[in-house]
Amino acid sequence: MPDRQSARGARRAREFEAFVAGAAGRLLHAATLLTAEAPDANPRARRLLTLALAHTYARWDRLRGEDPYDCARQFLATRFARSTWHRYGAFGRARPDPRSPLAALTPRERLVLVLRLYEGVAEEQAAALLGLPAERVHTLCDRATATVLHPARQTPPRPVGRRVAPS
């Protein structure tokens, strides 16, 4: 009996390691986009990824035909939404890295944009995952896309110099 359990545990570990080798890079990139951190300095994104992978590993035997990547992505999205809500309020903003392409977006807009455009999640599925109406997800995605494609221009400060009085 112990040999069968150890063989099953070894198989489970190999399967999960193969999953992590294939999916961790994409999940880390998605988490980095969500947190709007710089790719080279992303502790919140790495923490989100670690939690998502730990959750997926805990459910590994119960997945039974479900996509483990989908499970990890769902946990990543819900954990980000929940932690952002609790830490910064409903519409609060974390201080994103200004070098991030999604820095100008609110956390909810980032979440919708990453799910819809980067991960390719259908609008209805994203709405169900976030507990929002599909129309709201559509609106958030449109607004976020417009903000990323057409960022507000910073007006350069006027030079402060001596004004010459007319003679």
Side-chain angles (χ1 to χ4, degrees):
M1 192 69 128
D3 291 335
R4 188 183 303 173
Q5 287 178 343
S6 65
R8 187 175 22 190
R11 188 186 81 242
R12 176 184 187 206
R14 281 193 310 273
E15 289 173 353
F16 186 73
E17 285 174 9
F19 164 71
V20 170
R26 185 169 173 88
L27 285 169
L28 178 61
H29 189 69
T32 303
L33 290 173
L34 286 174
T35 58
E37 295 175 307
D40 54 340
N42 53 1
R44 286 182 57 221
R46 290 181 184 277
R47 192 168 32 256
L48 268 175
L49 174 65
T50 302
L51 291 170
L53 291 176
H55 175 77
T56 304
Y57 184 72
R59 294 193 58 210
W60 193 258
D61 290 335
R62 295 180 307 226
L63 288 176
R64 294 194 184 101
E66 291 180 48
D67 183 15
Y69 185 85
D70 193 39
C71 175
R73 177 182 56 212
Q74 184 175 355
F75 184 83
L76 190 78
T78 55
R79 182 67 183 217
F80 171 76
R82 187 177 28 216
S83 68
T84 301
W85 181 278
H86 288 294
R87 185 174 295 142
Y88 303 105
F91 300 103
R93 294 179 60 123
R95 290 187 179 84
D97 188 306
R99 297 175 290 174
S100 170
L102 305 181
L105 303 177
T106 65
R108 184 176 283 176
E109 289 172 338
R110 282 196 309 264
L111 180 58
V112 168
L113 193 69
V114 168
L115 285 175
R116 292 281 295 123
L117 300 182
Y118 181 72
E119 290 292 326
V121 175
E123 196 170 278
E124 294 80 20
Q125 189 179 0
L129 177 66
L130 301 175
L132 297 172
E135 297 81 22
R136 180 71 176 139
V137 169
H138 183 79
T139 303
L140 284 167
C141 189
D142 284 351
R143 184 184 316 147
T145 303
T147 302
V148 170
L149 293 178
H150 307 289
R153 293 187 180 181
Q154 298 286 341
T155 56
R158 291 181 157 184
V160 179
R162 289 181 49 188
R163 297 180 94 180
V164 177
S167 358

